[in-house]
Amino acid sequence: MSHLRSLFIALLILPNLLLAQKTALQSSMYLNQKLPGITPAVFAPNLISSKDHYEYGSVFSKDGKEFYYAVIIHDKPQIRYSRFVDNTWTTPETVISSDNYEYNDPFLSPDGKRLFFISDQAKDGKGEKRDFDIWYLEREKDGWSQIPVNAGPGINTMKNEYYMSFTQTGTMYFSSNGGTDQTTDKNYDIRSSRFSKGVFSPSVKVTDAVNSEHYEADVFVSPDEQYMIFCSERPGGIGKGDLYISFKGKSGNWEKARNMGKTINTEGYEFCPFVTGDGKYLFFSRDGDIFWMSAELIDSLR
């Protein structure tokens, strides 16, 4: 009888233990931070989001075990990252930095083998800085290569390219003011480029349901290409720069973009959106800090 009683007690306790372990694992996969609700919260204060530096543009790897972000130190943007190793997160370390060039807007390729970012470095890495192009590093056994590779003419122009993200099939979404003149060079548009046979095809401008005659940039596209979130400075917004969202309709076309509302947008400037691989959390940047919140907001806007 005592054995049956012990078994009964164990069966009662086991689900709670499994739930506690699952909750602990979920927390540890986000730098041991308290999981947020529907109200935006600063992510990893004093560890990632510090009072001494300006942080922005963050991304987790698909498995949640690597975290990359941009930070401005001594007036120079650089890219840092932290890894989940032996059940703990490493102290953030620099992936790439320079006294001459800027590096920011990190994003991983769908297979995690390339770390993309933007930089104003010279093509040869030695000359005077130029416009911002999209570049990448290759993953190696002991980290990342240190010689950036230009993403190529299908993506980059003689003007600026900003902040990229990818569908699960490798199509890149990004923004550019390529093709503008001196009077319209603040008109950044969101573009896309398919990846085929090792190269990016010439990019195409996304529909006017998303783009306007104003600034659109910092686009995050969902891996299944069913929605995109981006920053825009168009009139009628809540602040200086707001996050907007567009869903793909049943016909396969992008629907008219909508402001994501006061739950996320303020009188300030919201930019650099990113949704975690599990689809649970929405990250963005504001006022020199990285924020996160439940991704329930996205579903509420459908």
Side-chain angles (χ1 to χ4, degrees), residues 249-302:
K250 294 181 180 179
S251 64
N253 296 320
W254 291 108
E255 297 176 345
K256 185 175 177 58
R258 291 179 286 164
N259 191 294
M260 295 187 73
K262 293 184 178 180
T263 299
I264 190 169
N265 292 316
T266 66
E267 293 181 355
Y269 200 102
E270 283 74 32
F271 61 115
C272 292
F274 166 73
V275 178
T276 53
D278 57 16
K280 292 182 178 180
Y281 303 104
L282 168 60
F283 281 71
F284 65 96
S285 303
R286 177 203 293 157
D287 299 333
D289 284 325
I290 295 168
F291 286 76
W292 67 325
M293 63 184 296
S294 169
E296 292 176 19
L297 175 63
I298 296 172
D299 290 330
S300 72
L301 295 170
R302 291 184 185 273

Side-chain angles (χ1 to χ4, degrees), residues 21 37 44 54 65 72 88 124 134 145 155 169 186 191 201 224 244 248-249 264:
Q21 290 175 351
Y54 190 104
K65 294 183 179 181
I72 299 176
T88 188
D124 61 4
I134 293 175
S145 61
I155 299 292
T169 59
K186 291 185 178 181
R191 307 182 68 88
S201 60
D224 61 4
Y244 287 75
K248 185 164 284 189
I264 190 169

Side-chain angles (χ1 to χ4, degrees), residues 108-145:
L108 291 163
S109 60
D111 61 7
K113 294 181 179 180
R114 288 179 175 178
L115 176 63
F116 285 81
F117 53 88
I118 67 170
S119 177
D120 59 356
Q121 78 161 52
K123 283 288 179 66
D124 61 4
K126 299 177 182 179
E128 293 293 321
K129 64 181 182 180
R130 40 165 291 158
D131 60 287
F132 280 91
D133 275 358
I134 293 175
W135 303 74
Y136 64 86
L137 299 177
E138 298 275 8
R139 190 185 291 274
E140 299 178 341
K141 288 184 178 180
D142 299 323
W144 294 99
S145 61

